[in-house]
Amino acid sequence: MTKITDWIKEHRKLLLITLIAILFADILLIVIFSSKSDDKPEPKAAEKEYRAAAEITEVTSVAEVSQPAEQNVNTEPKNVSEKKSGIDTDYLPYCKASAVYSLKKGEFLYSNNINEETAPASLTKLLTASVALKYADADDVFTAGSELAYVNENSSLAGLAVGDSLTLRDLITGMFLASGNDAARTVAVNVARMNFPDADLNDVEAVNCFCGLMEQFAKSIGMENSNFVSPDGWDKYDQYTTVSDLIKLTEYVMSVPELRDIVAMPQKTVYSTAGKVFTWQNSNQLLDINGNYYCENAIGVKTGTTQNAGSCLISAFETDDDTYISVVVGCNTDNDRYDYTLNMIYQIL
């Protein structure tokens, strides 16, 4: 004990300096971590643009745009019961999420993973068309422009070229039948500029502004678990939806006569204002009378395929006493989505 005491006395200055250094280091670390926790990273440029676009959509002039008569769409939560309906899907191909919904009963007949987030792919175009018809008239003529340069490579196309002018009705037909991303972009920028003429929106700003309108509209029809940042459905990290929300969207689409008619068309030929001919075959094989998956009860609705979404299909089937909406997402192949859909629906029809 004496030796230890003597050593401490001999080295007390060194020990004091060491203790002070340790204390100083602790204080410095506390200051550093405290300052880091207070630092909030700046939002990414794309997020800033989207927030600005969302703010633009609050402009009161939007409410003054002539709108179609309000549709009677129920936005209340649907009656959901997982896999309890007598519909057997255990032997069917893989599917990430699926459902069958009765419009007459207002309830799910079958549901599986319907609240799980999934990429919407071109099913997004149902929302794009719904928003477009809310803020513009079907007979309005829109001209394709420089926004076509922003269409992703390998996109499905309606075949538009810069300068082509078509009615909104015909552009929606190209969006639905050919699943044209070019038509979706043309619709988005033209509708945005029509409703915000004083904003002088460039192509990117116009698309972002339209997506703000999409978000507002989606919420208004009860789509509470979705987020849309593109009008064509191309994969984006912050773009998602659920089967439950897609049922609500499809229920709205089927309540609008203009949209209900278009989704049921097997094919259509239209003309631009300059006489250019566009002939589109519906990508939905349920409507192809000569195809392997034709169903006489089918009346639409939309296909969708991207890497993140897989193969997806929203369908509608009509009988004498009911209309059924079927949704399958995340299938491995296009054939799987039709096999899954028809096997489900034939257990009901």
Side-chain angles (χ1 to χ4, degrees):
M1 180 66 70
T2 303
K3 290 182 179 181
I4 295 174
T5 305
D6 292 342
W7 186 88
I8 293 174
K9 289 180 180 180
E10 182 180 350
H11 298 89
R12 62 179 179 275
K13 290 185 178 180
L14 178 60
L15 289 172
L16 182 59
I17 293 173
T18 302
L19 289 172
I20 293 173
I22 292 172
L23 180 61
F24 179 81
D26 287 342
I27 294 172
L28 183 60
L29 287 173
I30 292 171
V31 171
I32 291 173
F33 283 115
S34 176
S35 63
K36 282 188 176 181
S37 64
D38 291 336
D39 289 337
K40 295 182 179 179
E42 285 294 313
K44 295 179 181 178
E47 294 173 341
K48 287 183 177 180
E49 290 177 354
Y50 180 76
R51 290 172 185 170
E55 291 173 1
I56 290 176
T57 64
E58 298 294 342
V59 177
T60 55
S61 60
V62 176
E64 299 170 3
V65 179
S66 59
Q67 302 176 9
E70 289 296 325
Q71 305 296 329
N72 294 322
V73 179
N74 183 12
T75 61
E76 293 299 316
K78 309 301 182 186
N79 181 15
V80 180
S81 60
E82 290 288 314
K83 289 190 173 182
K84 304 299 182 183
S85 66
I87 296 180
D88 181 10
T89 60
D90 291 341
Y91 64 97
L92 297 182
Y94 171 77
C95 178
K96 180 179 180 179
S98 55
V100 177
Y101 181 78
S102 165
L103 283 181
K104 181 179 180 180
K105 295 179 180 178
E107 65 182 24
F108 284 90
L109 304 182
Y110 171 84
S111 62
N112 182 36
N113 295 334
I114 62 171
N115 294 313
E116 184 173 343
E117 289 183 2
T118 184
S122 287
L123 307 180
T124 300
K125 296 183 176 83
L126 296 175
L127 179 59
T128 301
S130 299
V131 172
L133 280 182
K134 179 176 181 179
Y135 293 108
D137 188 83
D139 292 319
D140 288 336
V141 175
F142 295 147
T143 301
S146 56
E147 71 278 354
L148 297 183
Y150 291 88
V151 176
N152 294 82
E153 293 182 5
N154 303 317
S155 289
S156 52
L157 301 172
L160 300 180
V162 174
D164 287 338
S165 297
L166 294 89
T167 64
L168 174 57
R169 179 185 296 103
D170 289 342
L171 287 169
I172 290 175
T173 304
M175 284 169 48
F176 283 178
L177 273 62
S179 201
N181 287 9
D182 47 355
R185 291 266 165 178
T186 296
V187 167
V189 298
N190 279 278
V191 169
R193 288 170 180 155
M194 169 186 284
N195 285 279
F196 305 104
D198 299 328
D200 193 25
L201 302 170
N202 62 33
D203 292 334
V204 174
E205 291 168 340
V207 167
N208 287 342
C209 180
F210 185 84
C211 289
L213 295 176
M214 291 172 66
E215 279 289 281
Q216 285 190 359
F217 184 87
K219 295 296 185 292
S220 75
I221 62 172
M223 298 178 70
E224 296 295 337
N225 299 302
S226 299
N227 193 61
F228 295 92
V229 295
S230 80
D232 52 27
W234 195 263
D235 286 337
K236 302 283 187 181
Y237 77 93
D238 52 350
Q239 181 161 260
Y240 56 86
T241 188
T242 65
V243 167
S244 179
D245 277 0
L246 289 172
I247 290 286
K248 296 170 184 176
L249 174 59
T250 308
E251 185 175 7
Y252 175 84
V253 167
M254 299 305 287
S255 74
V256 181
E258 194 84 55
L259 298 178
R260 185 183 177 111
D261 288 346
I262 296 174
V263 298
M265 294 177 178
Q267 72 170 40
K268 181 70 173 179
T269 296
V270 305
Y271 302 87
S272 71
T273 57
K276 183 175 177 179
V277 182
F278 297 87
T279 299
W280 297 308
Q281 184 77 27
N282 200 318
S283 59
N284 185 354
Q285 295 183 40
L286 298 177
L287 303 174
D288 182 2
I289 195 170
N290 297 314
N292 294 329
Y293 294 103
Y294 175 70
C295 178
E296 62 180 0
N297 297 98
I299 55 172
V301 178
K302 187 74 188 73
T303 61
T305 306
T306 62
Q307 182 175 355
N308 290 349
S311 291
C312 309
L313 177 65
I314 298 178
S315 313
F317 302 89
E318 194 169 55
T319 65
D320 291 338
D321 60 355
D322 205 346
T323 298
Y324 303 98
I325 297 172
S326 164
V327 180
V328 296
V329 299
C331 294
N332 290 325
T333 69
D334 288 352
N335 288 345
D336 285 352
R337 67 187 176 188
Y338 292 111
D339 288 334
Y340 202 106
T341 295
L342 289 178
N343 274 281
M344 283 198 305
I345 208 67
Y346 282 148
Q347 294 181 57
I348 298 174
L349 299 181

